[in-house]
Amino acid sequence: MSRESILKIQETEEEAERLIAEARELAKKLVADAQRNGKESLRVAEEESRAAAAEMLGQIRERTAQLGERLDSESQEACEELRRTVQLRRKAAEKVIMRGVEAKCRFVQ
């Protein structure tokens, strides 16, 4: 081979090595950037998830409180209805007892 060909091959090899080194550096930079961006994306996603979970928890607590109030109100109404029923039955029972006592008293006299 001629000296010129050998020099051309050496220059091409040196250029190839330089390009390979640049590619490696670029690849390292891209990997570092991707990791940094990935970590940042993960951090943002975690923050958003925490915020969404907190909001959902707040909504659940609010609905639970509303349900508790509604159930309490319904229970109070049912209790009042039972009290009214008991009062009516007690009065009816008192009348029946009093009639029985009066009948026995008349019978005894």
Side-chain angles (χ1 to χ4, degrees), residues 26-107:
L26 180 59
K28 285 180 186 178
K29 183 180 180 297
L30 291 174
V31 167
D33 288 347
Q35 287 177 339
R36 186 175 55 254
N37 291 338
K39 288 177 183 177
E40 179 63 18
S41 294
L42 178 60
R43 185 190 63 76
V44 169
E46 285 175 343
E47 285 179 8
E48 289 173 354
S49 296
R50 282 190 194 103
E55 184 178 336
M56 288 171 54
L57 185 58
Q59 290 173 355
I60 289 169
R61 285 181 177 150
E62 184 178 328
R63 282 190 246 153
T64 301
Q66 290 171 352
L67 178 61
E69 289 172 7
R70 192 184 92 221
L71 290 176
D72 186 47
S73 175
E74 290 174 2
S75 296
Q76 291 291 335
E77 291 172 11
C79 186
E80 286 302 315
E81 183 63 31
L82 285 172
R83 282 187 186 134
R84 285 190 291 273
T85 301
V86 166
Q87 285 287 351
L88 291 173
R89 288 184 181 174
R90 190 182 81 208
K91 287 180 182 179
E94 287 173 355
K95 287 180 183 178
V96 169
I97 291 170
M98 290 305 291
R99 283 187 204 135
V101 170
E102 287 174 359
K104 284 184 182 179
C105 286
R106 274 188 242 142
F107 182 72

Side-chain angles (χ1 to χ4, degrees), residues 3-29:
R3 176 148 174 84
E4 189 176 304
S5 296
I6 293 173
L7 288 176
K8 188 70 170 167
I9 291 171
Q10 286 176 344
E11 286 176 11
T12 304
E13 287 175 346
E14 288 172 1
E15 179 67 17
E17 287 177 14
R18 187 185 61 77
L19 290 173
I20 290 171
E22 285 178 9
R24 284 187 182 141
E25 286 300 313
L26 180 59
K28 285 180 186 178
K29 183 180 180 297

